[in-house]
Each structure stands twice: as structure tokens, then as C-alpha cells.
Amino acid sequence: MAGLWFEEFEVGRRFKHEVRRTVTDMDNILFSALTYNPAAIHIDHAYAATTEFGRPLINSLFTLGLVVGLSVQDTTFGTTVANLGMTETVFPKPVFAGDTIHVETEVKALRPSASRPGQGIVTFEHVGLNQRDEMVCRTVRQALMLGRVG
């Protein structure tokens, strides 16, 4: 099991996730199509060329999913019960096709579940960075985690 049990997390623990991912235009087109997002800024190269960015922006919800996904192998793979929510999500820089995203995570808080014995809530701060180490996404995520015992 690659993921950690609730009891194995410590507040302040940091992870620099090894797996990185280069984003492609196809990722953006497919994600936008699958989520019924017809925004021209994501799928229309001719339109995007007329914007301040000059090219399509990667859909921010794809970026958010990728940032969380890149953290899974080191933290929650096989030990998550459920995501409970995300707060303080920001996208300070755009992501474009060809950008390579890597992620760093910090454990911000821990508490045993009041209603689910043997489980606990871990609050993670995930930061997504591009190949220039510019922050492209930050989110605080609460996840219900399995305990080793329970």
C-alpha cells in the first residue's frame, strides 16, 4: 500500500512528489469536452490567439484534478475513504499545453473522526508548480483517511 494510514501523518510533514506530468492540448480538449465546458478560451485556438494569453488556457479544473492526483501515490493511495472538500483554491498563473506540473504537499491538520471510529481527517495543502517553479494552483483539501486499526 503506497498511501499512508491516518496515524502515519504528522502536522508539518512535507512531500515533494516525484511524479510530474506534462500537460497536452489533447488533455485540455478532452477534459473540456467530457465536462461539457465549451469555453472558447480552452478549445478554440483561433479565438485564444486574440486574447492576452495568445493561446488556449488549460482548464483550471483539470489543473486542480492533476495537482491532487499527482499527490496521491505518496499520501493517500489506497487509504482514502473520501475527499470531504477543498477550500482556498487559487490559480495564480495560467497553465498552457507543454507545461510540466509538479506538486508539493504539506499536512496542515489532523483530527480523529468523531463519527467514524478508526478513521481520521487529514487537511492537506497542495501546491502545483510549473517547470519554472511558478505556482499555478494551490488548494487546501480535507480527506477522510483509514486508520491502521479500525
Side-chain angles (χ1 to χ4, degrees), residues 83-112:
N83 283 316
L84 300 177
M86 292 176 214
T87 59
E88 303 175 43
T89 302
V90 296
F91 304 97
K93 295 265 186 195
V95 175
F96 300 102
D99 284 348
T100 299
I101 307 303
H102 61 282
V103 177
E104 297 177 3
T105 298
E106 181 178 352
V107 177
K108 301 301 265 185
L110 301 167
R111 76 169 178 82

PDB file of all heavy atoms in Angstrom, residues 83-112:
ATOM      1  N   ASN A  83     -12.790  12.230  -0.283  1.00  0.00           N
ATOM      2  CA  ASN A  83     -12.472  13.650  -0.175  1.00  0.00           C
ATOM      3  C   ASN A  83     -13.663  14.335   0.463  1.00  0.00           C
ATOM      4  O   ASN A  83     -14.815  14.056   0.103  1.00  0.00           O
ATOM      5  CB  ASN A  83     -12.220  14.268  -1.563  1.00  0.00           C
ATOM      6  CG  ASN A  83     -10.862  13.918  -2.096  1.00  0.00           C
ATOM      7  OD1 ASN A  83      -9.878  13.974  -1.390  1.00  0.00           O
ATOM      8  ND2 ASN A  83     -10.818  13.554  -3.367  1.00  0.00           N
ATOM      9  N   LEU A  84     -13.416  15.219   1.418  1.00  0.00           N
ATOM     10  CA  LEU A  84     -14.504  15.901   2.105  1.00  0.00           C
ATOM     11  C   LEU A  84     -14.719  17.321   1.588  1.00  0.00           C
ATOM     12  O   LEU A  84     -15.787  17.887   1.757  1.00  0.00           O
ATOM     13  CB  LEU A  84     -14.224  15.931   3.610  1.00  0.00           C
ATOM     14  CG  LEU A  84     -14.079  14.563   4.259  1.00  0.00           C
ATOM     15  CD1 LEU A  84     -13.743  14.704   5.731  1.00  0.00           C
ATOM     16  CD2 LEU A  84     -15.345  13.729   4.064  1.00  0.00           C
ATOM     17  N   GLY A  85     -13.688  17.900   0.996  1.00  0.00           N
ATOM     18  CA  GLY A  85     -13.842  19.239   0.445  1.00  0.00           C
ATOM     19  C   GLY A  85     -12.509  19.878   0.157  1.00  0.00           C
ATOM     20  O   GLY A  85     -11.449  19.392   0.589  1.00  0.00           O
ATOM     21  N   MET A  86     -12.591  20.954  -0.601  1.00  0.00           N
ATOM     22  CA  MET A  86     -11.405  21.753  -0.923  1.00  0.00           C
ATOM     23  C   MET A  86     -11.760  23.205  -0.704  1.00  0.00           C
ATOM     24  O   MET A  86     -12.860  23.646  -1.054  1.00  0.00           O
ATOM     25  CB  MET A  86     -10.974  21.519  -2.364  1.00  0.00           C
ATOM     26  CG  MET A  86     -10.452  20.119  -2.596  1.00  0.00           C
ATOM     27  SD  MET A  86     -10.065  19.836  -4.303  1.00  0.00           S
ATOM     28  CE  MET A  86     -10.500  18.113  -4.431  1.00  0.00           C
ATOM     29  N   THR A  87     -10.827  23.938  -0.119  1.00  0.00           N
ATOM     30  CA  THR A  87     -11.043  25.354   0.151  1.00  0.00           C
ATOM     31  C   THR A  87      -9.797  26.119  -0.282  1.00  0.00           C
ATOM     32  O   THR A  87      -8.763  25.522  -0.584  1.00  0.00           O
ATOM     33  CB  THR A  87     -11.302  25.600   1.649  1.00  0.00           C
ATOM     34  OG1 THR A  87     -10.167  25.133   2.396  1.00  0.00           O
ATOM     35  CG2 THR A  87     -12.553  24.886   2.140  1.00  0.00           C
ATOM     36  N   GLU A  88      -9.925  27.418  -0.294  1.00  0.00           N
ATOM     37  CA  GLU A  88      -8.783  28.289  -0.575  1.00  0.00           C
ATOM     38  C   GLU A  88      -8.091  27.919  -1.886  1.00  0.00           C
ATOM     39  O   GLU A  88      -6.876  28.018  -2.009  1.00  0.00           O
ATOM     40  CB  GLU A  88      -7.782  28.257   0.585  1.00  0.00           C
ATOM     41  CG  GLU A  88      -8.384  28.658   1.920  1.00  0.00           C
ATOM     42  CD  GLU A  88      -7.408  28.505   3.065  1.00  0.00           C
ATOM     43  OE1 GLU A  88      -6.230  28.873   2.902  1.00  0.00           O
ATOM     44  OE2 GLU A  88      -7.837  28.004   4.130  1.00  0.00           O
ATOM     45  N   THR A  89      -8.864  27.481  -2.874  1.00  0.00           N
ATOM     46  CA  THR A  89      -8.294  27.085  -4.163  1.00  0.00           C
ATOM     47  C   THR A  89      -8.050  28.326  -5.007  1.00  0.00           C
ATOM     48  O   THR A  89      -8.965  29.123  -5.220  1.00  0.00           O
ATOM     49  CB  THR A  89      -9.232  26.111  -4.891  1.00  0.00           C
ATOM     50  OG1 THR A  89      -9.442  24.972  -4.045  1.00  0.00           O
ATOM     51  CG2 THR A  89      -8.658  25.670  -6.217  1.00  0.00           C
ATOM     52  N   VAL A  90      -6.811  28.470  -5.479  1.00  0.00           N
ATOM     53  CA  VAL A  90      -6.448  29.610  -6.321  1.00  0.00           C
ATOM     54  C   VAL A  90      -5.583  29.125  -7.485  1.00  0.00           C
ATOM     55  O   VAL A  90      -4.902  28.106  -7.392  1.00  0.00           O
ATOM     56  CB  VAL A  90      -5.698  30.713  -5.526  1.00  0.00           C
ATOM     57  CG1 VAL A  90      -6.599  31.320  -4.454  1.00  0.00           C
ATOM     58  CG2 VAL A  90      -4.419  30.176  -4.905  1.00  0.00           C
ATOM     59  N   PHE A  91      -5.620  29.901  -8.562  1.00  0.00           N
ATOM     60  CA  PHE A  91      -4.838  29.634  -9.764  1.00  0.00           C
ATOM     61  C   PHE A  91      -4.070  30.904 -10.126  1.00  0.00           C
ATOM     62  O   PHE A  91      -4.498  31.658 -10.988  1.00  0.00           O
ATOM     63  CB  PHE A  91      -5.760  29.209 -10.916  1.00  0.00           C
ATOM     64  CG  PHE A  91      -6.626  28.021 -10.586  1.00  0.00           C
ATOM     65  CD1 PHE A  91      -7.934  28.200 -10.168  1.00  0.00           C
ATOM     66  CD2 PHE A  91      -6.118  26.738 -10.682  1.00  0.00           C
ATOM     67  CE1 PHE A  91      -8.734  27.111  -9.857  1.00  0.00           C
ATOM     68  CE2 PHE A  91      -6.919  25.639 -10.369  1.00  0.00           C
ATOM     69  CZ  PHE A  91      -8.228  25.827  -9.956  1.00  0.00           C
ATOM     70  N   PRO A  92      -2.947  31.158  -9.453  1.00  0.00           N
ATOM     71  CA  PRO A  92      -2.250  32.441  -9.633  1.00  0.00           C
ATOM     72  C   PRO A  92      -1.560  32.633 -10.981  1.00  0.00           C
ATOM     73  O   PRO A  92      -1.290  33.762 -11.372  1.00  0.00           O
ATOM     74  CB  PRO A  92      -1.234  32.470  -8.498  1.00  0.00           C
ATOM     75  CG  PRO A  92      -1.079  31.055  -8.061  1.00  0.00           C
ATOM     76  CD  PRO A  92      -2.349  30.352  -8.396  1.00  0.00           C
ATOM     77  N   LYS A  93      -1.278  31.570 -11.696  1.00  0.00           N
ATOM     78  CA  LYS A  93      -0.648  31.649 -13.027  1.00  0.00           C
ATOM     79  C   LYS A  93      -1.372  30.675 -13.947  1.00  0.00           C
ATOM     80  O   LYS A  93      -1.783  29.596 -13.515  1.00  0.00           O
ATOM     81  CB  LYS A  93       0.837  31.258 -12.977  1.00  0.00           C
ATOM     82  CG  LYS A  93       1.718  32.178 -12.190  1.00  0.00           C
ATOM     83  CD  LYS A  93       2.357  33.180 -13.108  1.00  0.00           C
ATOM     84  CE  LYS A  93       3.364  33.991 -12.307  1.00  0.00           C
ATOM     85  NZ  LYS A  93       3.780  35.168 -12.985  1.00  0.00           N
ATOM     86  N   PRO A  94      -1.483  31.003 -15.226  1.00  0.00           N
ATOM     87  CA  PRO A  94      -2.132  30.077 -16.150  1.00  0.00           C
ATOM     88  C   PRO A  94      -1.247  28.881 -16.477  1.00  0.00           C
ATOM     89  O   PRO A  94      -0.027  28.933 -16.341  1.00  0.00           O
ATOM     90  CB  PRO A  94      -2.367  30.934 -17.396  1.00  0.00           C
ATOM     91  CG  PRO A  94      -1.314  31.980 -17.342  1.00  0.00           C
ATOM     92  CD  PRO A  94      -1.070  32.255 -15.875  1.00  0.00           C
ATOM     93  N   VAL A  95      -1.902  27.819 -16.919  1.00  0.00           N
ATOM     94  CA  VAL A  95      -1.213  26.625 -17.397  1.00  0.00           C
ATOM     95  C   VAL A  95      -1.512  26.507 -18.888  1.00  0.00           C
ATOM     96  O   VAL A  95      -2.649  26.706 -19.323  1.00  0.00           O
ATOM     97  CB  VAL A  95      -1.686  25.359 -16.649  1.00  0.00           C
ATOM     98  CG1 VAL A  95      -1.057  24.100 -17.231  1.00  0.00           C
ATOM     99  CG2 VAL A  95      -1.378  25.471 -15.164  1.00  0.00           C
ATOM    100  N   PHE A  96      -0.472  26.182 -19.660  1.00  0.00           N
ATOM    101  CA  PHE A  96      -0.586  26.037 -21.107  1.00  0.00           C
ATOM    102  C   PHE A  96      -0.118  24.641 -21.512  1.00  0.00           C
ATOM    103  O   PHE A  96       0.680  24.009 -20.804  1.00  0.00           O
ATOM    104  CB  PHE A  96       0.283  27.076 -21.823  1.00  0.00           C
ATOM    105  CG  PHE A  96      -0.074  28.489 -21.500  1.00  0.00           C
ATOM    106  CD1 PHE A  96       0.692  29.233 -20.606  1.00  0.00           C
ATOM    107  CD2 PHE A  96      -1.186  29.088 -22.079  1.00  0.00           C
ATOM    108  CE1 PHE A  96       0.359  30.545 -20.303  1.00  0.00           C
ATOM    109  CE2 PHE A  96      -1.528  30.407 -21.778  1.00  0.00           C
ATOM    110  CZ  PHE A  96      -0.752  31.136 -20.894  1.00  0.00           C
ATOM    111  N   ALA A  97      -0.579  24.177 -22.666  1.00  0.00           N
ATOM    112  CA  ALA A  97      -0.085  22.920 -23.212  1.00  0.00           C
ATOM    113  C   ALA A  97       1.433  23.005 -23.294  1.00  0.00           C
ATOM    114  O   ALA A  97       1.988  24.017 -23.705  1.00  0.00           O
ATOM    115  CB  ALA A  97      -0.694  22.665 -24.581  1.00  0.00           C
ATOM    116  N   GLY A  98       2.098  21.941 -22.865  1.00  0.00           N
ATOM    117  CA  GLY A  98       3.555  21.906 -22.843  1.00  0.00           C
ATOM    118  C   GLY A  98       4.145  22.184 -21.480  1.00  0.00           C
ATOM    119  O   GLY A  98       5.322  21.902 -21.247  1.00  0.00           O
ATOM    120  N   ASP A  99       3.348  22.742 -20.554  1.00  0.00           N
ATOM    121  CA  ASP A  99       3.843  22.964 -19.191  1.00  0.00           C
ATOM    122  C   ASP A  99       3.937  21.630 -18.461  1.00  0.00           C
ATOM    123  O   ASP A  99       3.089  20.754 -18.639  1.00  0.00           O
ATOM    124  CB  ASP A  99       2.907  23.896 -18.406  1.00  0.00           C
ATOM    125  CG  ASP A  99       3.052  25.356 -18.796  1.00  0.00           C
ATOM    126  OD1 ASP A  99       4.027  25.704 -19.497  1.00  0.00           O
ATOM    127  OD2 ASP A  99       2.188  26.158 -18.384  1.00  0.00           O
ATOM    128  N   THR A 100       4.960  21.488 -17.643  1.00  0.00           N
ATOM    129  CA  THR A 100       5.140  20.291 -16.826  1.00  0.00           C
ATOM    130  C   THR A 100       4.858  20.660 -15.380  1.00  0.00           C
ATOM    131  O   THR A 100       5.500  21.549 -14.821  1.00  0.00           O
ATOM    132  CB  THR A 100       6.562  19.724 -16.985  1.00  0.00           C
ATOM    133  OG1 THR A 100       6.754  19.377 -18.359  1.00  0.00           O
ATOM    134  CG2 THR A 100       6.763  18.485 -16.116  1.00  0.00           C
ATOM    135  N   ILE A 101       3.895  19.972 -14.805  1.00  0.00           N
ATOM    136  CA  ILE A 101       3.424  20.283 -13.451  1.00  0.00           C
ATOM    137  C   ILE A 101       4.026  19.301 -12.457  1.00  0.00           C
ATOM    138  O   ILE A 101       4.054  18.088 -12.691  1.00  0.00           O
ATOM    139  CB  ILE A 101       1.878  20.215 -13.390  1.00  0.00           C
ATOM    140  CG1 ILE A 101       1.244  21.098 -14.472  1.00  0.00           C
ATOM    141  CG2 ILE A 101       1.371  20.581 -11.992  1.00  0.00           C
ATOM    142  CD1 ILE A 101       1.643  22.559 -14.422  1.00  0.00           C
ATOM    143  N   HIS A 102       4.513  19.851 -11.342  1.00  0.00           N
ATOM    144  CA  HIS A 102       4.923  19.023 -10.207  1.00  0.00           C
ATOM    145  C   HIS A 102       4.266  19.598  -8.964  1.00  0.00           C
ATOM    146  O   HIS A 102       3.787  20.732  -8.964  1.00  0.00           O
ATOM    147  CB  HIS A 102       6.443  18.922 -10.081  1.00  0.00           C
ATOM    148  CG  HIS A 102       7.148  20.215  -9.850  1.00  0.00           C
ATOM    149  ND1 HIS A 102       7.400  21.133 -10.846  1.00  0.00           N
ATOM    150  CD2 HIS A 102       7.680  20.743  -8.729  1.00  0.00           C
ATOM    151  CE1 HIS A 102       8.049  22.178 -10.346  1.00  0.00           C
ATOM    152  NE2 HIS A 102       8.235  21.956  -9.060  1.00  0.00           N
ATOM    153  N   VAL A 103       4.214  18.787  -7.910  1.00  0.00           N
ATOM    154  CA  VAL A 103       3.399  19.132  -6.747  1.00  0.00           C
ATOM    155  C   VAL A 103       4.170  18.933  -5.458  1.00  0.00           C
ATOM    156  O   VAL A 103       4.955  17.996  -5.323  1.00  0.00           O
ATOM    157  CB  VAL A 103       2.101  18.276  -6.729  1.00  0.00           C
ATOM    158  CG1 VAL A 103       1.262  18.555  -5.490  1.00  0.00           C
ATOM    159  CG2 VAL A 103       1.288  18.534  -7.995  1.00  0.00           C
ATOM    160  N   GLU A 104       3.910  19.832  -4.517  1.00  0.00           N
ATOM    161  CA  GLU A 104       4.390  19.710  -3.144  1.00  0.00           C
ATOM    162  C   GLU A 104       3.179  19.766  -2.227  1.00  0.00           C
ATOM    163  O   GLU A 104       2.226  20.506  -2.490  1.00  0.00           O
ATOM    164  CB  GLU A 104       5.363  20.845  -2.827  1.00  0.00           C
ATOM    165  CG  GLU A 104       6.605  20.803  -3.700  1.00  0.00           C
ATOM    166  CD  GLU A 104       7.564  21.958  -3.461  1.00  0.00           C
ATOM    167  OE1 GLU A 104       7.304  22.786  -2.559  1.00  0.00           O
ATOM    168  OE2 GLU A 104       8.564  22.022  -4.185  1.00  0.00           O
ATOM    169  N   THR A 105       3.222  18.971  -1.176  1.00  0.00           N
ATOM    170  CA  THR A 105       2.108  18.872  -0.234  1.00  0.00           C
ATOM    171  C   THR A 105       2.616  19.041   1.180  1.00  0.00           C
ATOM    172  O   THR A 105       3.694  18.552   1.526  1.00  0.00           O
ATOM    173  CB  THR A 105       1.421  17.493  -0.371  1.00  0.00           C
ATOM    174  OG1 THR A 105       0.891  17.368  -1.693  1.00  0.00           O
ATOM    175  CG2 THR A 105       0.313  17.298   0.652  1.00  0.00           C
ATOM    176  N   GLU A 106       1.815  19.726   1.996  1.00  0.00           N
ATOM    177  CA  GLU A 106       2.098  19.828   3.434  1.00  0.00           C
ATOM    178  C   GLU A 106       0.852  19.406   4.200  1.00  0.00           C
ATOM    179  O   GLU A 106      -0.270  19.786   3.842  1.00  0.00           O
ATOM    180  CB  GLU A 106       2.480  21.249   3.820  1.00  0.00           C
ATOM    181  CG  GLU A 106       2.804  21.367   5.299  1.00  0.00           C
ATOM    182  CD  GLU A 106       3.243  22.763   5.722  1.00  0.00           C
ATOM    183  OE1 GLU A 106       3.453  23.614   4.858  1.00  0.00           O
ATOM    184  OE2 GLU A 106       3.364  22.980   6.948  1.00  0.00           O
ATOM    185  N   VAL A 107       1.055  18.621   5.262  1.00  0.00           N
ATOM    186  CA  VAL A 107      -0.045  18.253   6.158  1.00  0.00           C
ATOM    187  C   VAL A 107      -0.269  19.427   7.099  1.00  0.00           C
ATOM    188  O   VAL A 107       0.637  19.822   7.840  1.00  0.00           O
ATOM    189  CB  VAL A 107       0.269  16.965   6.947  1.00  0.00           C
ATOM    190  CG1 VAL A 107      -0.847  16.643   7.934  1.00  0.00           C
ATOM    191  CG2 VAL A 107       0.515  15.800   5.997  1.00  0.00           C
ATOM    192  N   LYS A 108      -1.471  19.992   7.064  1.00  0.00           N
ATOM    193  CA  LYS A 108      -1.783  21.186   7.852  1.00  0.00           C
ATOM    194  C   LYS A 108      -2.512  20.876   9.157  1.00  0.00           C
ATOM    195  O   LYS A 108      -2.355  21.608  10.125  1.00  0.00           O
ATOM    196  CB  LYS A 108      -2.631  22.158   7.026  1.00  0.00           C
ATOM    197  CG  LYS A 108      -1.963  22.624   5.738  1.00  0.00           C
ATOM    198  CD  LYS A 108      -0.655  23.309   5.983  1.00  0.00           C
ATOM    199  CE  LYS A 108      -0.799  24.790   6.054  1.00  0.00           C
ATOM    200  NZ  LYS A 108       0.489  25.483   6.179  1.00  0.00           N
ATOM    201  N   ALA A 109      -3.321  19.814   9.172  1.00  0.00           N
ATOM    202  CA  ALA A 109      -4.084  19.498  10.386  1.00  0.00           C
ATOM    203  C   ALA A 109      -4.504  18.029  10.354  1.00  0.00           C
ATOM    204  O   ALA A 109      -4.635  17.427   9.281  1.00  0.00           O
ATOM    205  CB  ALA A 109      -5.320  20.396  10.485  1.00  0.00           C
ATOM    206  N   LEU A 110      -4.722  17.503  11.542  1.00  0.00           N
ATOM    207  CA  LEU A 110      -5.175  16.118  11.724  1.00  0.00           C
ATOM    208  C   LEU A 110      -6.213  16.097  12.831  1.00  0.00           C
ATOM    209  O   LEU A 110      -6.076  16.807  13.830  1.00  0.00           O
ATOM    210  CB  LEU A 110      -4.020  15.226  12.180  1.00  0.00           C
ATOM    211  CG  LEU A 110      -2.793  15.106  11.302  1.00  0.00           C
ATOM    212  CD1 LEU A 110      -1.655  14.449  12.076  1.00  0.00           C
ATOM    213  CD2 LEU A 110      -3.129  14.295  10.070  1.00  0.00           C
ATOM    214  N   ARG A 111      -7.231  15.255  12.660  1.00  0.00           N
ATOM    215  CA  ARG A 111      -8.146  15.012  13.771  1.00  0.00           C
ATOM    216  C   ARG A 111      -8.858  13.692  13.565  1.00  0.00           C
ATOM    217  O   ARG A 111      -9.242  13.363  12.444  1.00  0.00           O
ATOM    218  CB  ARG A 111      -9.125  16.153  13.970  1.00  0.00           C
ATOM    219  CG  ARG A 111     -10.253  16.233  13.001  1.00  0.00           C
ATOM    220  CD  ARG A 111     -11.303  17.249  13.465  1.00  0.00           C
ATOM    221  NE  ARG A 111     -12.376  17.393  12.530  1.00  0.00           N
ATOM    222  CZ  ARG A 111     -13.426  16.596  12.427  1.00  0.00           C
ATOM    223  NH1 ARG A 111     -13.538  15.539  13.214  1.00  0.00           N
ATOM    224  NH2 ARG A 111     -14.374  16.826  11.550  1.00  0.00           N
ATOM    225  N   PRO A 112      -8.986  12.918  14.631  1.00  0.00           N
ATOM    226  CA  PRO A 112      -9.752  11.674  14.512  1.00  0.00           C
ATOM    227  C   PRO A 112     -11.201  12.001  14.150  1.00  0.00           C
ATOM    228  O   PRO A 112     -11.738  13.028  14.568  1.00  0.00           O
ATOM    229  CB  PRO A 112      -9.676  11.067  15.912  1.00  0.00           C
ATOM    230  CG  PRO A 112      -8.522  11.745  16.575  1.00  0.00           C
ATOM    231  CD  PRO A 112      -8.445  13.114  15.968  1.00  0.00           C
TER     232      PRO A 112
END
